[in-house]
Amino acid sequence: NAGVTQTPKFRILKIGQSMTLQCTQDMNHNYMYWYRQDPGMGLKLIYYSVGAGITDKGEVPNGYNVSRSTTEDFPLRLELAAPSQTSVYFCASRPGQGFNEQFFGPGTRLTVL
Amino acid sequence: AQKVTQAQTEISVVEKEDVTLDCVYETRDTTYYLFWYKQPPSGELVFLIRRNSFDEQNEISGRYSWNFQKSTSSFNFTITASQVVDSAVYFCALSEAIGTGAGSYQLTFGKGTKLSVIP
């Protein structure tokens, strides 16, 4: 199993540009999450999904959108990039039952200039 | 609201020293889980341990041990005989119930403690 994969690993955007961060997991996990990590800070939840077709906002959803058309994929969309969105983005997944741990992808480092 | 406090921003120790990383949490949930993750310089997040709110037994795994004390809302992490490879940022996290499904939760993270082990 590849686990949780994220693409791209690095990206530089100009203010106002749009992009999609890709996240795929091959573990048939129901739950998927998007977090952002700012320097010197812990991770903050952007959006999460409890299964295909079901998504909901986390703590910091403004400026982002998500979709979950399949169990495997959970892309994160930035519509109008702003410097405040410069961060490292982590996707995570976990099985649906119990309070088991979340498995994280390697992260995407995004810079908005 | 949930809160996780890791008061130690950075710690430096000399190799082979023992080191304890502190974690204090706040929650109104009666059932919750606590986690520790390691983030090495390469950037990925590595799961270390999960502990539920009903199990206050200490856990030991090799050089790692965890002390969970519900009375003080703390879940501290000790590395014995530290090694250079232990250098990383360590995050404590708390489950927060979301939605109504059983086991439906998000993680609230502390800001992390950066551990540097000097050879």
Side-chain angles (χ1 to χ4, degrees), chain A residues 92-110:
Chain A
S93 75
R94 70 175 185 93
Q97 292 77 33
F99 284 81
N100 30 45
E101 67 272 20
Q102 295 181 14
F103 294 82
F104 284 82
T108 294
R109 185 175 295 274
L110 176 66

Side-chain angles (χ1 to χ4, degrees), chain A residues 3-6 23 89-93 103-108, chain B residues 43-45:
Chain A
V4 181
T5 58
Q6 291 182 239
C23 175
Y89 292 84
F90 288 97
C91 178
S93 75
F103 294 82
F104 284 82
T108 294
Chain B
E44 73 273 22
L45 282 152

Side-chain angles (χ1 to χ4, degrees), chain B:
Chain B
Q2 313 272 124
K3 188 176 180 182
V4 175
T5 302
Q6 296 180 254
Q8 305 148 309
T9 305
E10 294 191 39
I11 300 176
S12 289
V13 298
V14 176
E15 200 171 20
K16 298 184 182 177
E17 285 185 346
D18 299 346
V19 58
T20 294
L21 309 182
D22 298 331
C23 173
V24 175
Y25 63 93
E26 296 175 26
T27 181
R28 284 182 288 186
D29 290 347
T30 53
T31 299
Y32 55 89
Y33 277 71
L34 293 156
F35 301 77
W36 276 94
Y37 281 86
K38 174 182 180 180
Q39 187 175 43
S42 51
E44 73 273 22
L45 282 152
V46 179
F47 165 76
L48 295 177
I49 191 171
R50 176 187 69 229
R51 170 68 66 203
N52 75 54
S53 53
F54 298 107
D55 183 359
E56 291 195 63
Q57 283 191 338
N58 289 340
E59 175 106 5
I60 298 175
S61 176
R63 296 184 298 107
Y64 295 171
S65 62
W66 290 268
N67 180 255
F68 175 37
Q69 291 196 326
K70 208 169 178 178
S71 60
T72 56
S73 297
S74 65
F75 186 43
N76 297 335
F77 173 31
T78 297
I79 301 174
T80 303
S82 59
Q83 300 177 1
V84 173
V85 292
D86 296 327
S87 296
V89 179
Y90 291 86
F91 291 98
C92 180
L94 169 68
S95 67
E96 177 179 357
I98 50 176
T100 55
S104 183
Y105 78 90
Q106 68 175 49
L107 286 176
T108 299
F109 282 82
K111 293 184 179 182
T113 297
K114 182 178 181 180
L115 174 65
S116 298
V117 181
I118 303 164

